Amino acid sequence: MNWLAGKNKEKLKDKILFLFCLMNSAGCSLAKMSKTNNLAGVIIMNKFKSLAIISVLSVLATAAFVAWGFALHPRELWAAEQSAAALEGPEAAQVAGSLSELKERLWKASGLKETYDILEFFNRLPGPDAAAAQVLLDYLKEAPRTDVWKITDALVNLMTDDQVAQLARESGAYPEANFTSYLAPVLAARAGNAAVLADAILNLQKTPASGYYRKLVETAWQKVFADPGEAARWLDEVYSRLTDPLARENLVSAVNDTACELAGDKRAAAVSWLWQAQEQEKNTAARFQQLLNLYLLGEARALGQIKELYGGLASAEEKVDIVREAANAARWRLTGAARDAVVNWLWQAAEKDPLPFSRQQCLAALVNLGEKGALERLVSDIDENGLSVLEEGGRALSPALDWQLLQEAGEKYPQSYLARGIKAYEEVRGEPYFEMERRKQQGNWDVYFYGDEQYDPEREIPGWEKFLAEFPGHPGADDAAYRLARCYEIEGRWTDALNTLRKALSLPDGDIRYHAAGRLVYVLDVRMTYDQLKELSQAREQSKKLDPSLKPLVDYSLAVKELRRDNYRQTAGMLEEFLKQYQDFGENQGALPFNQLNYQLKYDFRSSVKKQQAAVEELAALEVQWKKSGNPADLYRLAAAIFHDQTLYYNHLWSGWRQSYNWQGYINATGRGRAPVEMASFAREMINYNHCLPYFQQVYRDPSSSPELKARALYSAGLCYTGLDEWGVDAYLAFTPSEIREKIISIYQQFIREYPGSSMADDALLALGAYTGDAGYLQKIVEDYPQGDMLEKAKNLMEEMKSPYYTNRPDSLYGWPLPFKALSLDDASVPGEVSAWAAGNRAQPFTGVKTAGGWSYLLVTAGEKPTAGYSVEIISISDDGRGRLKVNYRIAAPQPGIAAAQVLTYPYALARIPATAAAVEFAEIKN
């Protein structure tokens, strides 16, 4: 694959670096629940003339990355590279023309291939060429660009020294994404004198691109300054002018990395400057890192400074950070006397530190370094104090003990607190304590189970309650509390479940904290019904038992549930009361569950709720106006306001982590059919398009609606289904993908029939072309709407369809995996008619579908078997995008040589998905 050859590999590396920089600066706080914010760049409800769906499905595969500037698919890149590589001779002459013509073509380029062809020509121009470079600079200045990576090489070649100097001074004139992606590398490559280097570093501090500091510092030390003293003075000036603390840290780190490659007087000068810089550093963690780096550079006296810094710290958390970093250096980077000195200091710290938390961390570090006697000392300390828990800043922290250390301690010291707790844990759970052992025993290394099926509340509740009473300081205490909370949850003991999940956040050893934080919000937001939350919030006896810190979470979640019932006025009042009653909620670190996870990024909960409350007030006013006037145009305005707010129904207790928690399988462990039933209702309630769709449909059906309003309402209903199609896997819990697409197509076909003269007719045709892969709809735009604003887009899409890589034809759709719920016939949620249908088909091998009560039930039976040990499993359900579902299943027989009970059995598998009329194909997967 040529696209990874040579410079392109470096560009891909820079591209990935840029993605992670952006994610870091944005905090990955993805409060929006859809997988992409826009519909391939298209939905603007208040601009009816320009409504369109621009190449919707050509973007679907990369929609999640478009916002980060990382949308290019490898095969697209490969095709573009091949096209550019072939740009020789006569073809080059066709592209060339005058510079003004090239500029016009670049601005009008609509496809990846065309853009790459033009940029390749710029790459072939001899440099420097100020005029050509200015064309590219203006192109980057006008708007954020994605996937124009060739532009960097061209600018490095074409820009004059004066242009580079101006760029270093005026980086703010460019969109940040463009500067970070394309221009920062230019500065790193071309900055060639002290002034330009300084300006570049100062401007880079305003962007996520400070990773280029090392290149700039390296240039200064190795190419610009012959005198090491001049280089140090230059650094002093630059350092003093930096205003961002993180930028200062990055500059120091860049000097440290450069010093590793210097020798003689230059190295000595760089090291001397690093000593001065650490004296100016106010941040303890940053200063320690600088001292550790100096020690790694061979500066032995830095260890004395580290000891002094450690001894003066009052925060055990800061102490532990130092211990961990020092131990990692000793384990991986230091040798000989330098390593021995660090090990000796860790022993001294373990002897003298009065705090169990940092003392235990020192001992754990020494165990990992292979120090004799460290494990015995650690086990003894835990026998006396339990595994220490430190509560700072609203968070609970425990020393990090890896599983091999715990396993070794349990085996060597069977009477210790650790060993006895491990044994007690295994007795309650009925499985090995260590996850690696559990997976080995199960023979399953790649699937996590989070469904209710893995819990036995009747047996586990008393067992875990006893365990927590006897071993509250054990590393397994938080795991035990989590499992106990899940059992309470299954039993409907909501107060106990929430209290115990809150408790799990503060118990050792803390490795369950992410699970517990997410489950706490999940129970409030998804699992509990409106009535259950209301009872918990308002019933005096229940409220008394609830941990006081949970009351705000319950009250806010109830308000969100009220909003999802479309009771706008009541919700507005509830949110207003919440903000008034809990004025300090969200300010301290520990109030929000996810804020206890030690992430540096914080979520502005209060501002988010204020914004939500204002939006609900607006909806309440629009609803009042509609009910007062009875005018369908007022109802349309209400629907449009809902349509435009994807976060309207979002519970901000998630703090932007709901998608992350979901994607990691904690909610939808869909690979093994563990999509919980409550997620279907949740998806319908949370997705804004599902709320406004009935309003648009009502406006369309209203006899008093004007023809223009009817047209807008019908078109908007299509956009709602498009929003569901773009939403992601959550929507598939409640809506079948191919049926959504069929709705889109049928609505826009209806629109064309009823409103061919509408200003949105060409938009509807464009959507039909995109969703059907039929170029005939696009040709109709060319023929019937030559003056419309969709003409160029239609032509471009027709051109894309000619490519062998175009993937939106019905015969080339990949389809989607569907979440499903695996059921038992003993499950109380299975309707009687379904149970009877399944029971009647178990005697013979059978596959079939039955729809009842808003669900479709998929049944696979193996028929009558002479012994136990047979099983049927539905492995996956997928939607091919063309109105057909495929169910893959496996039938397993007893293992040879293993005795099986001689009894007639009727193995089966039953699964549930949202009701569908799609054709279903069953396929047995043979081992």
Side-chain angles (χ1 to χ4, degrees):
M1 293 289 283
N2 293 359
W3 65 281
L4 273 181
K7 292 182 180 179
N8 288 319
K9 189 181 295 183
E10 294 304 313
K11 289 182 194 174
L12 186 61
K13 192 189 306 177
D14 287 343
K15 198 172 186 182
I16 295 172
L17 171 64
F18 170 50
L19 171 63
F20 279 96
C21 287
L22 277 179
M23 290 175 70
N24 184 57
S25 64
C28 291
S29 187
L30 304 179
K32 294 182 180 179
M33 290 73 65
S34 69
K35 64 180 176 182
T36 177
N37 188 36
N38 295 313
L39 202 271
V42 98
I43 304 173
I44 308 175
M45 290 269 309
N46 59 357
K47 186 176 181 294
F48 296 104
K49 176 58 183 162
S50 63
L51 282 169
I53 299 180
I54 307 174
S55 303
V56 178
L57 294 178
S58 65
V59 183
L60 279 179
T62 53
F65 290 93
V66 169
W68 306 114
F70 195 67
L72 196 58
H73 191 283
R75 72 180 178 201
E76 293 179 77
L77 180 57
W78 178 83
E81 291 283 358
Q82 297 306 304
S83 172
L87 196 63
E88 304 283 359
E91 293 183 17
Q94 292 176 11
V95 173
S98 68
L99 197 58
S100 60
E101 291 173 347
L102 273 175
K103 179 177 181 178
E104 183 178 0
R105 290 194 60 178
L106 181 60
W107 256 257
K108 289 184 176 181
S110 57
L112 180 62
K113 177 181 179 300
E114 184 179 359
T115 302
Y116 260 59
D117 285 348
I118 298 168
L119 290 178
E120 181 60 24
F121 178 77
F122 277 97
N123 265 294
R124 294 170 183 274
L125 292 175
D129 187 328
Q134 195 59 51
V135 170
L136 300 181
L137 290 168
D138 290 343
Y139 179 70
L140 292 178
K141 188 178 292 185
E142 182 189 64
R145 308 290 182 183
T146 59
D147 299 316
V148 290
W149 303 100
K150 282 181 174 290
I151 206 168
T152 296
D153 288 345
L155 286 169
V156 169
N157 176 52
L158 295 174
M159 287 178 70
T160 64
D161 290 341
D162 287 343
Q163 285 176 314
V164 173
Q166 184 177 4
L167 175 63
R169 294 191 301 270
E170 300 178 358
S171 63
Y174 297 86
E176 184 176 285
N178 286 354
F179 182 81
T180 305
S181 300
Y182 314 117
L183 297 176
V186 174
L187 289 177
R190 286 290 308 276
N193 61 60
V196 175
L197 285 166
D199 285 340
I201 288 175
L202 291 168
N203 276 294
L204 282 172
Q205 76 174 319
K206 302 172 184 176
T207 76
S210 52
Y212 292 104
Y213 278 7
R214 178 176 178 180
K215 178 67 175 177
L216 295 167
V217 170
E218 189 178 281
T219 300
W221 278 91
Q222 297 186 347
K223 297 180 180 178
V224 174
F225 297 104
D227 181 359
E230 284 185 48
R233 286 188 289 276
W234 172 79
L235 276 174
D236 284 337
E237 179 188 355
V238 174
Y239 186 85
S240 66
R241 292 169 64 189
L242 288 171
T243 57
D244 180 21
L246 181 58
R248 289 189 171 196
E249 291 179 33
N250 288 330
L251 179 62
V252 172
S253 178
V255 176
N256 181 85
D257 292 342
T258 303
C260 294
E261 301 173 1
L262 299 175
D265 292 344
K266 287 189 175 182
R267 181 185 177 92
V271 170
S272 176
W273 185 86
L274 289 169
W275 273 109
Q276 296 174 27
Q278 66 86 22
E279 291 175 356
Q280 300 178 56
E281 182 58 63
K282 304 299 182 185
N283 181 277
T284 301
R287 184 170 178 230
F288 161 71
Q289 191 61 56
Q290 292 171 21
L291 286 167
L292 181 60
N293 286 336
L294 281 165
Y295 190 68
L296 292 168
L297 283 170
E299 295 293 295
R301 63 190 175 106
L303 184 57
Q305 296 272 17
I306 290 174
K307 293 178 183 179
E308 183 179 333
L309 179 65
Y310 182 88
L313 291 175
S315 166
E317 182 181 357
E318 288 182 318
K319 284 186 174 183
V320 166
D321 287 340
I322 290 178
V323 167
R324 287 173 180 167
E325 288 294 324
N328 285 335
R331 189 173 188 180
W332 305 112
R333 301 176 66 182
L334 294 170
T335 59
R339 181 187 184 278
D340 293 342
V342 171
V343 171
N344 289 336
W345 167 63
L346 289 172
W347 272 114
Q348 293 170 16
E351 291 283 348
K352 296 178 181 179
D353 201 312
L355 298 174
F357 179 74
S358 45
R359 185 173 65 243
Q360 290 178 4
Q361 186 61 61
C362 287
L363 290 168
L366 289 165
V367 172
N368 289 329
L369 288 170
E371 288 296 295
K372 291 183 178 180
L375 181 60
E376 184 177 1
R377 288 282 307 279
L378 177 60
V379 169
S380 177
D381 200 305
I382 294 175
D383 280 346
E384 182 178 349
N385 302 293
L387 186 62
S388 178
V389 175
L390 174 71
E391 295 194 24
E392 284 192 358
R395 292 179 290 112
L397 306 171
S398 295
L401 308 182
D402 60 48
W403 72 274
Q404 292 97 332
L405 186 156
L406 290 174
Q407 189 175 53
E408 184 180 359
E411 292 172 353
K412 285 188 175 182
Y413 306 97
Q415 300 306 313
S416 67
Y417 183 81
L418 288 174
R420 289 184 288 111
I422 289 173
K423 183 178 180 181
Y425 182 99
E426 291 180 335
E427 288 176 354
V428 178
R429 182 158 182 172
E431 294 177 318
Y433 178 88
F434 298 102
E435 184 173 349
M436 294 294 289
E437 292 298 319
R438 291 197 297 273
R439 289 179 174 274
K440 183 178 179 181
Q441 187 181 84
Q442 296 163 356
N444 191 346
W445 296 89
D446 60 347
V447 177
Y448 289 84
F449 295 100
Y450 295 97
D452 292 350
E453 297 89 346
Q454 65 167 308
Y455 299 96
D456 182 358
E458 185 176 351
R459 179 181 59 82
E460 290 189 61
I461 287 176
W464 294 128
E465 289 175 340
K466 181 181 178 182
F467 177 90
L468 289 170
E470 294 180 3
F471 298 96
H474 196 274
D478 58 340
D479 302 67
Y482 179 82
R483 290 190 67 87
L484 176 59
R486 289 287 282 111
C487 290
Y488 285 146
E489 178 189 330
I490 294 167
E491 294 286 291
R493 296 169 58 177
W494 304 113
T495 301
D496 290 333
L498 295 171
N499 285 343
T500 309
L501 285 169
R502 170 62 86 182
K503 184 178 181 180
L505 291 171
S506 59
L507 289 171
D509 57 356
D511 63 351
I512 204 75
R513 194 171 296 127
Y514 184 80
H515 307 61
R519 194 71 197 185
L520 177 58
V521 183
Y522 178 82
V523 171
L524 291 168
D525 189 39
V526 183
R527 185 115 195 206
M528 293 183 69
T529 66
Y530 170 84
D531 291 333
Q532 290 166 342
L533 262 180
K534 188 174 182 180
E535 181 182 358
L536 186 59
S537 174
Q538 299 178 2
R540 185 178 298 275
E541 289 303 315
Q542 293 290 340
S543 296
K544 283 182 181 179
K545 297 177 183 177
L546 191 68
D547 185 313
S549 66
L550 294 172
K551 187 63 164 62
L553 282 66
V554 171
D555 289 350
Y556 172 68
S557 297
L558 179 61
V560 174
K561 293 277 190 181
E562 194 71 67
L563 172 59
R564 292 173 184 168
R565 290 155 61 94
D566 293 327
N567 294 331
Y568 310 121
R569 175 52 57 200
Q570 188 169 348
T571 301
M574 293 171 71
L575 290 175
E576 182 179 12
E577 178 61 27
F578 172 84
L579 291 167
K580 190 183 300 181
Q581 183 177 352
Y582 303 107
Q583 295 186 15
D584 298 328
F585 182 77
E587 298 296 329
N588 64 310
Q589 178 96 358
L592 297 170
F594 279 96
N595 274 7
Q596 298 192 28
L597 303 180
N598 202 20
Y599 292 114
Q600 294 179 349
L601 303 167
K602 295 183 179 179
Y603 189 79
D604 192 348
F605 175 84
R606 192 165 185 84
S607 294
S608 299
V609 175
K610 285 182 178 179
K611 182 179 178 182
Q612 188 176 37
Q613 197 263 347
V616 176
E617 286 280 8
E618 179 186 354
L619 295 181
L622 289 169
E623 183 182 44
V624 168
Q625 175 63 27
W626 164 56
K627 289 184 176 179
K628 181 179 179 180
S629 69
N631 188 339
D634 290 330
L635 178 57
Y636 184 90
R637 279 188 280 273
L638 172 62
I642 297 171
F643 178 92
H644 284 292
D645 193 346
Q646 285 185 324
T647 62
L648 178 63
Y649 300 95
Y650 184 66
N651 187 319
H652 290 283
L653 293 177
W654 285 108
S655 305
W657 290 97
R658 196 198 71 81
Q659 275 190 322
S660 170
Y661 186 82
N662 191 11
W663 288 341
Q664 293 189 46
Y666 295 103
I667 297 176
N668 291 338
T670 59
R672 305 289 285 190
R674 295 305 198 270
V677 59
E678 64 268 12
M679 279 297 292
S681 298
F682 171 71
R684 294 186 182 97
E685 293 174 358
M686 182 187 65
I687 301 175
N688 61 313
Y689 305 120
N690 194 47
H691 285 265
C692 57
L693 176 61
Y695 292 152
F696 286 129
Q697 292 171 331
Q698 184 175 341
V699 172
Y700 172 74
R701 292 192 299 265
D702 193 319
S704 64
S705 295
S706 67
E708 176 63 17
L709 185 59
K710 280 179 172 286
R712 293 180 180 182
L714 182 60
Y715 191 91
S716 299
L719 291 180
C720 288
Y721 281 110
T722 309
L724 292 174
D725 183 53
E726 291 276 299
W727 192 274
V729 70
D730 286 339
Y732 301 163
L733 292 159
F735 310 97
T736 305
S738 63
E739 292 181 351
I740 292 175
R741 294 169 67 87
E742 288 174 5
K743 285 283 189 181
I744 295 169
I745 293 169
S746 66
I747 286 176
Y748 287 128
Q749 287 174 336
Q750 179 183 356
F751 186 90
I752 295 302
R753 290 194 302 271
E754 295 184 13
Y755 304 104
S758 168
S759 61
M760 295 174 286
D762 53 346
D763 304 63
L765 286 167
L766 187 68
L768 285 168
Y771 273 94
T772 63
D774 185 350
Y777 290 110
L778 307 176
Q779 185 61 38
K780 190 172 179 62
I781 295 176
V782 176
E783 295 172 356
D784 296 352
Y785 303 92
Q787 305 304 316
D789 55 358
M790 294 296 107
L791 181 63
E792 288 301 315
K793 297 180 179 70
K795 289 180 178 179
N796 292 336
L797 185 53
M798 282 194 290
E799 191 65 29
E800 285 183 35
M801 288 179 174
K802 294 177 182 178
S803 167
Y805 303 116
Y806 183 68
T807 59
N808 194 37
R809 297 183 185 87
D811 60 353
S812 62
L813 292 176
Y814 296 111
W816 303 266
L818 286 184
F820 62 95
K821 175 67 174 176
L823 297 169
S824 164
L825 290 178
D826 297 327
D827 194 313
S829 67
V830 178
E833 60 182 297
V834 174
S835 296
W837 165 73
N841 287 291
R842 289 178 62 185
Q844 301 295 329
F846 175 81
T847 59
V849 183
K850 185 175 183 63
T851 298
W855 299 99
S856 287
Y857 296 83
L858 311 172
L859 177 66
V860 180
T861 70
E864 185 178 276
K865 299 297 180 184
T867 69
Y870 288 88
S871 66
V872 182
E873 178 188 16
I874 291 179
I875 301 169
S876 66
I877 303 175
S878 59
D879 183 329
D880 68 358
R882 297 178 289 277
R884 177 178 291 274
L885 305 184
K886 184 173 184 179
V887 179
N888 290 320
Y889 67 91
R890 179 183 292 117
I891 298 177
Q895 294 186 11
I898 297 179
Q902 300 300 304
V903 59
L904 294 178
T905 59
Y906 303 88
Y908 72 94
L910 181 66
R912 178 178 61 199
I913 60 174
T916 178
V920 180
E921 174 189 345
F922 290 85
E924 182 179 357
I925 305 298
K926 303 284 188 178
N927 285 332

